[in-house]
Amino acid sequence: MTKIKGIIAAMQTAMHEDGSINEGELRRQINRQIGAGVDGVFCMGTNGEFFVLSAQEKIRIMEIFVEEVKGRVPVYAGTGCIGTQETVDLSRKAGEIGVDVLSVITPYFAAISQEELYRHYAAVAEAVNLPVVMYNIPSRTGVSLAPKTVSRLAKDFPNMVGVKDSSGDIGNIRQYIRETQGLDFAVLCGHDPLILETLIAGGRGGITAIANILPTVLVDIYQNYLKGDMERAREAQNAIGKMCDCVKYGNPNTVLKYAANLIGQPVGPCRKPFDILPQEAVEGIRKTIDTYYADYKNI
């Protein structure tokens, strides 16, 4: 089973101006990330705009990733849907395509209990042979995956191998780590400013959106941590701070796609209606790129 660790690039879905998928650019971005040294590439996460992709598009994107990666790094795919059966169906399809690891977001929109969350994830774990990483992002879903629920699932299902936490709460990350102590279970940071703190606390790495802008810097955080060079690891962590701050300007997906285009990575727009930034945001992102990008891209 794939070892869950390191810097996993939460990749943007490259699109043409009309919102259709730009397959050629998506393939180029996959190779860019692998060339930067990431430990895995992740399609159809929040940063990949899974919420505006059709089922057919999701299948094609997974095919593109598996075809282009050619086994060089693990391919992670977001297969979580609101309903359990739809999640199971897409997860099984991912296995047929050759995806290595599933990332399954909590169901969203409707209120849900911890027992319902347990049964949802249990159904997915029972339906597939692939490793499953749970995905906690309460700011978007309206529900938080409790540490006790995570540990219960990890103990009950051997292919429930990790959790990605995008809450921005290091305390919650530490609880996940404590509750799964002694298990072969990976806690991953989904909030880029906390990647190094997560590693120090006992986490295994991060699934990172900022890798779309500064992939080598994200790799440096992890690699220097592994070497025990905490000064350089901290320097790399600090180097992404200004880019992380730009998400204050609006939808993080829209902000980071605009930034990627600015630095010469033509990933196109976000799909409508999530494609507008106010002038203040445009100016702020441009200033951040002009001021910091050249210094930090090869730190």
Side-chain angles (χ1 to χ4, degrees):
M1 192 171 283
T2 302
K3 187 72 171 176
I4 311 298
K5 64 179 181 63
I7 296 300
I8 299 132
M11 291 186 59
Q12 297 164 335
T13 301
M15 294 181 181
H16 296 290
E17 288 301 315
D18 64 359
S20 60
I21 294 169
N22 184 341
E23 180 173 327
E25 185 57 31
L26 187 53
R27 291 180 184 273
R28 195 181 78 80
Q29 290 297 322
I30 291 166
N31 286 302
R32 173 182 172 234
Q33 293 295 334
I34 293 173
V38 298
D39 299 281
V41 289
F42 179 17
C43 61
M44 304 181 335
T46 302
N47 210 58
E49 299 174 74
F50 80 93
F51 46 87
V52 290
L53 298 173
S54 70
Q56 292 77 17
E57 286 173 324
K58 290 177 180 180
I59 289 168
R60 183 58 190 145
I61 288 168
M62 289 190 287
E63 290 172 342
I64 291 167
F65 267 72
V66 172
E67 289 168 9
E68 196 62 36
V69 170
K70 299 181 178 69
R72 289 175 288 172
V73 297
V75 173
Y76 293 65
T79 57
C81 305
I82 295 178
T84 300
Q85 189 58 54
E86 189 180 6
T87 302
V88 165
D89 292 344
L90 188 59
S91 297
R92 284 175 170 161
K93 188 64 180 178
E96 293 172 11
I97 291 168
V99 165
D100 298 293
V101 183
L102 304 178
S103 171
V104 178
I105 194 169
T106 58
Y108 45 94
F109 186 78
I112 189 169
S113 69
Q114 292 300 310
E115 183 60 27
E116 288 168 320
L117 284 169
Y118 174 86
R119 294 185 184 188
H120 175 76
Y121 281 108
V124 176
E126 289 172 339
V128 299
N129 293 320
L130 291 174
V132 179
V133 174
M134 295 168 272
Y135 180 13
N136 185 56
I137 182 168
S139 63
R140 302 288 187 98
T141 63
V143 61
S144 188
L145 194 53
K148 293 287 187 185
T149 304
V150 168
S151 66
R152 183 182 170 197
L153 285 159
K155 290 170 183 174
D156 289 350
F157 300 97
N159 61 332
M160 196 64 70
V161 297
V163 63
K164 172 191 175 184
D165 183 78
S166 296
S167 68
D169 181 356
I170 190 64
N172 194 62
I173 289 171
R174 290 187 179 118
Q175 279 188 280
Y176 284 156
I177 293 167
R178 283 195 298 270
E179 289 291 339
T180 56
Q181 208 161 22
L183 303 174
D184 186 10
F185 188 86
V187 176
L188 300 170
C189 180
H191 182 64
D192 289 50
L194 294 178
I195 288 174
L196 183 56
E197 293 307 312
T198 298
L199 291 168
I200 292 168
R204 296 261 191 92
I207 297 178
T208 160
I210 301 296
N212 290 283
I213 313 299
L214 295 164
T216 56
V217 183
L218 270 300
V219 170
D220 279 351
I221 296 172
Y222 182 66
Q223 291 299 326
N224 283 305
Y225 170 79
L226 288 183
K227 291 186 287 190
D229 190 340
M230 296 304 293
E231 183 177 350
R232 292 193 65 186
R234 182 68 66 185
E235 179 186 8
Q237 177 70 71
N238 291 340
I240 68 170
K242 295 298 182 183
M243 198 65 247
C244 292
D245 289 345
C246 283
V247 301
K248 69 187 177 187
Y249 292 119
N251 174 26
N253 307 58
T254 314
V255 167
L256 293 179
K257 262 197 168 177
Y258 183 74
N261 286 297
L262 275 182
I263 63 171
Q265 303 298 331
V267 294
C270 282
R271 186 168 280 181
K272 295 179 186 299
F274 308 102
D275 62 334
I276 297 174
L277 286 172
Q279 189 58 34
E280 176 194 8
V282 168
E283 292 171 1
I285 297 164
R286 283 185 176 274
K287 182 177 180 181
T288 299
I289 294 294
D290 290 345
T291 305
Y292 299 102
Y293 178 71
D295 290 337
Y296 288 155
K297 66 178 179 178
N298 293 313
I299 195 169

Coordinates of all heavy atoms in Angstrom, one line a residue, residues 91 174 282:
S91 N -15.1 6.3 -6.4 CA -13.9 5.7 -5.8 C -13.6 4.4 -6.5 O -12.4 4.1 -6.7 CB -14.1 5.5 -4.3 OG -14.3 6.7 -3.6
R174 N -3.0 18.1 16.2 CA -2.4 17.4 17.3 C -3.3 16.4 17.9 O -2.8 15.3 18.3 CB -1.9 18.4 18.4 CG -0.7 19.3 17.9 CD -0.2 20.1 19.1 NE 0.9 20.9 18.6 CZ 1.0 22.3 18.7 NH1 -0.1 22.9 19.1 NH2 2.0 22.9 18.3
V282 N -6.6 42.1 -7.4 CA -5.7 42.0 -8.5 C -4.4 42.8 -8.2 O -3.3 42.3 -8.4 CB -6.3 42.6 -9.8 CG1 -5.3 42.8 -10.9 CG2 -7.5 41.6 -10.3

